[in-house]
Amino acid sequence: MPTEIWQTPIEVAVGDGDHFKSVKNSREALATLMTCWPEKGGKSFAIAKRTCMKSLSGEAEHAAAARAFLEAAIEAGILRPQRVHDRCARKPRAVFGSMAVMGHTWPATKF
């Protein structure tokens, strides 16, 4: 049974919250719900579990499973916040002989 990769992975905190797991499809989401979830129970948890199982059997869309998993992660308080550098359109770049930070370049300082 093929599993479609979600458009955007969902990162959740696991264990004591100091490690993160990137969930990329319904199969990984169901495994995470069953093995790594802080509290098994609650409305969003049940909906996510059911939607992931239906997605794997072809009865639900993969995108619906991703949305349900996201809602359950938010309710459980384990959704990893988006990092600031992920939102930046311009990334730092190396420039020989000068300093570049977030796409802005300054001449090198001579000492």
Side-chain angles (χ1 to χ4, degrees):
M1 129 180 33
T3 302
E4 184 176 306
I5 301 296
W6 294 344
Q7 185 174 1
T8 304
I10 298 171
E11 291 189 348
V12 294
V14 294
D16 293 333
D18 57 346
H19 291 85
F20 296 94
K21 178 179 179 90
S22 182
V23 179
K24 299 178 235 34
N25 59 48
S26 300
R27 185 176 311 282
E28 289 179 4
L30 185 58
T32 303
L33 287 163
M34 300 310 295
T35 61
C36 303
W37 217 250
E39 285 189 38
K40 292 173 179 61
K43 185 177 179 182
S44 293
F45 174 85
I47 291 170
K49 183 179 164 186
R50 185 171 43 254
T51 308
C52 287
M53 288 191 300
K54 285 184 175 186
S55 171
L56 292 171
S57 68
E59 299 174 50
E61 296 290 325
H62 297 290
R67 283 190 304 273
F69 183 78
L70 177 64
E71 288 299 319
I74 292 169
E75 183 179 282
I78 62 169
L79 181 67
R80 182 178 192 178
Q82 187 176 11
R83 294 170 292 200
V84 172
H85 70 271
D86 288 344
R87 293 181 291 209
C88 295
R90 297 184 296 178
K91 303 274 186 209
R93 62 173 191 234
V95 177
F96 184 76
S98 62
M99 182 176 79
V101 177
M102 300 307 294
H104 301 284
T105 305
W106 293 271
T109 305
K110 296 187 181 199
F111 293 97

